[in-house]
Amino acid sequence: MRTAAEHKSPAQTQTVVAAAPDNNEVTSESTPHYRLYRRRFLGVAGFIALNIVSGWPRPWFGSIANQASRELGYSLNRVNWLGNIMTCVCMPVVLSIPALATRLGLRKSCFIASATLVIASWLRYCGTIRSLSSNQSYALVIVGQMFSAVSQPIFLVLAPKYSENWFDLRGRTAATMVISISNPVGGAIAQLISSRFASVRQSIFGLALVSTSVAPFVLLIGDAPPTPPTYSGSTKSPSLMVLVKALLGQRTTPESHMEPRERLDFFVLLVIFGTLVAASNAFALLSGQIMAPQGYSDHESGLMGATLLLCGIAAAVVTAPLFDRVFTSHLALTMKTLVPVVAAGWLSLIWVVRPHNTAALFVIMAFIGAASLTLLPVALELGCEVTRNAQASSAMLWFIVNAFEIIFVQAGGALRAGTDAHPPLNMYRALIFNGTFVVAASLLVFVIRGKQVRKERDERMQRRFESHAQRPV
């Protein structure tokens, strides 16, 4: 929204925002000023590049698990823990990000993430030195994964807050969508290329080179514009503890108070979001071990995981403009439509994962991916809507993802069949667990009301701004 305020100096265009008075009177002191800046797209580009590469380490070893086990001397359970350790470290890191961003700002927080991304890359490569024993090698690689667990969640959690700070109602959901899906894009790319190298050592070296070259993109990310795009963009996100108190029904500020139905919506959202994203992440980590007993190569396993994500990217790109212009008030309805589709896809894998069934597997992966990645930013934005707290709601959603992912991956490993099974080491029972868990959680979607409180408040303040701008001088 461009107005005459654009032509004033920064000092003149500073925001003057106050909560809407109870009597709905419009005064000069309570009239907001809003503006959009073109440089917001540079920050989106920075987030996309860094999110893509920070999404590589977690699934990097998924499609090459068997090769890594042979070349580096790790057991398959140890290879699984290269992903699990990131999940475990992510949990406390995710909960600390709202406080970190409040204290240091988005830009400095992203600098920390970028630095740890580079450190992690070269620690992993040092772990491939041939003179090291298997235990020494594993120690360095897993420490590298722990550093990656610091960088990845920062870019994920801060995506909705960046959108809130820089974009208005006609671009906020699309911005969150583009930034959020870039991390799964990284996962797709990782599964495609990690198995293309001649050796695991070369694979990890390539990962280090790319991570180092992308790190400077952090310079494109800014904290907030001089003048905000919306009322929500002008306010500081409350702390994580404020959200916890609101969810428990305790006394908070009027802005942070949540009605019982809003609390129920967010709890249901936590379960559904955590389950669906954890199922996808766990499949990426275990794809090689799920498919290899059925006669599929590491490369085919990687392609199946990548198909899930790449089809989701295509669907997200197509639907992103629709959520800001057509379905902008129907986030809950979107979830009620797409969540059952995703659940049916995961359940069908119980019967579809079998030898010589490549075409059907790729079709199922495409359906799951298209629905799942469209849902990812919708759930993040709906969390912001019902809580009015972009940083803390995003942190809690990603925390529950990591908690559920540990369950999915550990259960998958424990449910692997023995060497005397037919076929040996098959993961049929793991697929049953995965499918039934997803279906059970997905049934809760029909409980969600999903009133978009933040959007209604922003629209009310936007109307006030427009009426003031049209008033004759």
Side-chain angles (χ1 to χ4, degrees):
M1 178 69 63
R2 288 188 167 272
T3 70
E6 291 189 21
H7 305 293
K8 298 180 181 180
S9 66
Q12 291 174 304
T13 58
Q14 290 300 310
T15 310
V16 182
V17 178
D22 291 337
N23 58 6
N24 291 323
E25 292 178 359
V26 179
T27 65
S28 59
E29 290 77 21
S30 65
T31 302
H33 296 280
Y34 302 130
R35 179 184 174 185
L36 287 175
Y37 294 81
R38 290 182 180 177
R39 66 176 180 268
R40 67 192 185 276
F41 296 111
L42 292 177
V44 170
F47 263 105
I48 289 173
L50 290 162
N51 246 327
I52 286 174
V53 177
S54 69
W56 286 17
R58 192 191 298 255
W60 190 261
F61 297 93
S63 60
I64 59 170
N66 298 303
Q67 184 182 2
S69 179
R70 291 192 302 270
E71 293 184 20
L72 300 178
Y74 307 159
S75 67
L76 283 177
N77 281 333
R78 275 193 162 190
V79 175
N80 287 346
W81 267 100
L82 293 176
N84 283 349
I85 194 63
M86 286 190 65
T87 306
C88 293
V89 176
C90 273
M91 293 176 71
V93 171
V94 160
L95 295 180
S96 68
I97 291 172
L100 178 71
T102 299
R103 184 177 180 83
L104 300 179
L106 266 68
R107 183 177 173 85
K108 289 182 180 178
S109 299
C110 290
F111 267 93
I112 293 173
S114 183
T116 55
L117 180 66
V118 175
I119 293 169
S121 299
W122 294 105
L123 277 173
R124 274 191 299 268
Y125 181 64
C126 289
T128 65
I129 296 173
R130 293 186 177 89
S131 60
L132 297 176
S133 68
S134 176
N135 287 338
Q136 292 170 332
S137 167
Y138 187 73
L140 280 171
V141 173
I142 206 165
V143 170
Q145 292 293 88
M146 292 171 70
F147 271 93
S148 290
V150 175
S151 60
Q152 184 187 30
I154 292 177
F155 298 123
L156 284 172
V157 170
L158 296 183
K161 184 59 181 174
Y162 181 84
S163 301
E164 185 179 79
N165 280 358
W166 286 88
F167 287 83
D168 64 3
L169 294 173
R170 293 177 64 84
R172 192 161 61 193
T173 303
T176 299
M177 178 171 285
V178 171
I179 295 172
S180 298
I181 67 170
S182 59
N183 195 263
V185 169
I189 295 172
Q191 292 184 80
L192 278 172
I193 67 176
S194 64
S195 60
R196 305 297 291 177
F197 292 87
S199 67
V200 174
R201 187 171 190 270
Q202 289 182 14
S203 175
I204 293 175
F205 180 64
L207 174 58
L209 286 179
V210 175
S211 299
T212 304
S213 64
V214 169
F217 275 80
V218 73
L219 298 172
L220 300 177
I221 298 173
D223 278 315
T227 302
T230 62
Y231 173 74
S232 295
S234 70
T235 60
K236 183 177 291 187
S237 289
S239 69
L240 180 63
M241 285 308 300
V242 170
L243 178 56
V244 171
K245 288 181 179 179
L247 289 172
L248 295 176
Q250 298 180 9
R251 180 175 296 179
T252 61
T253 62
E255 288 277 313
S256 301
H257 175 72
M258 296 178 67
E259 298 295 331
R261 187 56 193 259
E262 293 170 346
R263 297 199 296 268
L264 175 62
D265 279 357
F266 191 67
F267 281 123
V268 171
L269 195 61
L270 284 172
V271 174
I272 295 173
F273 184 80
T275 300
L276 295 186
V277 179
S280 296
N281 290 347
F283 185 84
L285 289 171
L286 299 173
S287 58
Q289 299 168 58
I290 291 171
M291 298 299 174
Q294 306 295 336
Y296 299 98
S297 67
D298 286 348
H299 182 58
E300 287 174 318
S301 300
L303 282 175
M304 289 176 191
T307 298
L308 184 152
L309 296 168
L310 292 173
C311 288
I313 294 161
V317 169
V318 171
T319 57
L322 298 177
F323 284 113
D324 279 321
R325 286 165 172 73
V326 181
F327 304 124
T328 182
S329 300
H330 303 290
L331 299 183
L333 179 61
T334 301
M335 290 195 65
K336 291 177 181 179
T337 302
L338 294 181
V339 167
V341 174
V342 178
W346 285 117
L347 187 67
S348 70
L349 290 180
I350 297 172
W351 300 277
V352 175
V353 176
R354 53 187 174 83
H356 312 298
N357 202 27
T358 306
L361 282 168
F362 275 104
V363 170
I364 295 298
M365 292 295 105
F367 271 103
I368 292 174
S372 294
L373 264 74
T374 301
L375 281 170
L376 175 63
V378 170
L380 289 170
E381 281 294 295
L382 193 56
C384 298
E385 292 291 340
V386 299
T387 64
R388 284 85 70 196
N389 191 334
Q391 287 177 182
S393 65
S394 180
M396 291 190 71
L397 286 166
W398 287 112
F399 174 85
I400 204 71
V401 165
N402 288 291
F404 281 15
E405 188 175 331
I406 293 174
I407 295 172
F408 274 83
V409 175
Q410 290 302 104
L415 292 171
R416 184 188 295 114
T419 54
D420 57 343
H422 181 73
L425 303 177
N426 73 78
M427 300 191 74
Y428 176 71
R429 290 183 298 173
L431 291 172
I432 294 175
F433 172 83
N434 195 68
T436 53
F437 198 115
V438 170
V439 169
S442 297
L443 292 175
L444 295 173
V445 75
F446 298 106
V447 176
I448 290 180
R449 181 185 64 173
K451 184 179 180 182
Q452 295 175 226
V453 184
R454 181 185 64 163
K455 179 178 180 293
E456 292 176 0
R457 184 183 63 183
D458 284 344
E459 287 177 337
R460 187 165 59 248
M461 297 300 288
Q462 181 69 28
R463 287 193 295 270
R464 173 174 298 177
F465 164 59
E466 291 173 353
S467 65
H468 178 75
Q470 294 169 2
R471 188 179 301 172
V473 180

